[in-house]
Amino acid sequence: MMLEKLGLRAPSDRAGRGRFGERKAAAFLRKKGYRVLVRNWRAGHDELDLVCQEGEVLVFVEVRTRDESALVGGFHSVTEEKKTRLRRACRAYLKQLRKHPAHTRFDIVELRLGQRGDFALYHHPNVSLFNQT
């Protein structure tokens, strides 16, 4: 977990908050040694927020930005329908690569926005995504 002051309030519109969350998540992962390869990669209607490299592992990252007062946190807001779309996007991304990575995994980065201009960041590595039908 990481707690940080924003300096400015996060945007109040949903799309703006999402972009804000993706920027903060990318910066956080870079500090942890990840290399951000792609942001907002699309295959049709499906999207991958971040595609990163951590050592030999290709990491697909879903970023969830929520108000701290939200009834459901970011981690639990990834529904089965969303996981289906993410699996489809991950497969499409891998299909277009010339060389397939030896290892892949799926992470969730969750930002909980506070009312005082701060946020908490939670990194959930290696979330189950591919072992479901």
Side-chain angles (χ1 to χ4, degrees):
M1 178 176 76
M2 180 171 105
L3 213 48
E4 184 175 310
K5 283 284 186 193
L6 300 179
L8 299 171
R9 289 215 172 269
S12 59
D13 64 294
R14 184 177 175 169
R17 284 187 314 174
R19 286 188 303 272
F20 172 82
E22 288 168 5
R23 282 193 312 271
K24 291 297 182 181
F28 171 79
L29 292 171
R30 280 188 196 103
K31 285 181 186 176
K32 288 185 73 171
Y34 289 53
R35 194 173 66 151
V36 177
L37 304 175
V38 181
R39 286 182 59 181
N40 304 115
W41 187 86
R42 288 192 165 280
H45 294 292
D46 301 324
E47 180 184 11
L48 298 170
D49 292 334
L50 300 171
V51 180
C52 301
Q53 189 82 34
E54 183 192 29
E56 297 298 315
V57 180
L58 185 68
V59 184
F60 300 105
V61 182
E62 174 68 9
V63 179
R64 305 301 269 193
T65 305
R66 320 272 291 178
D67 289 328
E68 67 182 354
S69 62
L71 296 176
V72 177
F75 178 84
H76 292 99
S77 71
V78 181
T79 64
E80 286 305 313
E81 180 182 337
K82 179 65 174 178
K83 285 183 178 182
T84 297
R85 290 194 310 267
L86 288 165
R87 280 192 296 273
R88 198 169 43 225
C90 291
R91 287 184 184 117
Y93 185 86
L94 290 169
K95 189 175 182 180
Q96 55 96 39
L97 294 177
R98 287 183 182 196
K99 183 179 177 192
H100 289 258
H103 303 285
T104 62
R105 75 165 197 256
F106 176 70
D107 291 4
I108 296 174
V109 173
E110 172 183 358
L111 274 83
R112 293 185 196 162
L113 302 175
Q115 301 222 350
R116 295 180 304 272
D118 58 344
F119 67 89
L121 188 148
Y122 301 88
H123 181 205
H124 306 277
N126 205 25
V127 174
S128 177
L129 180 67
F130 295 105
N131 64 352
Q132 300 153 356
T133 59

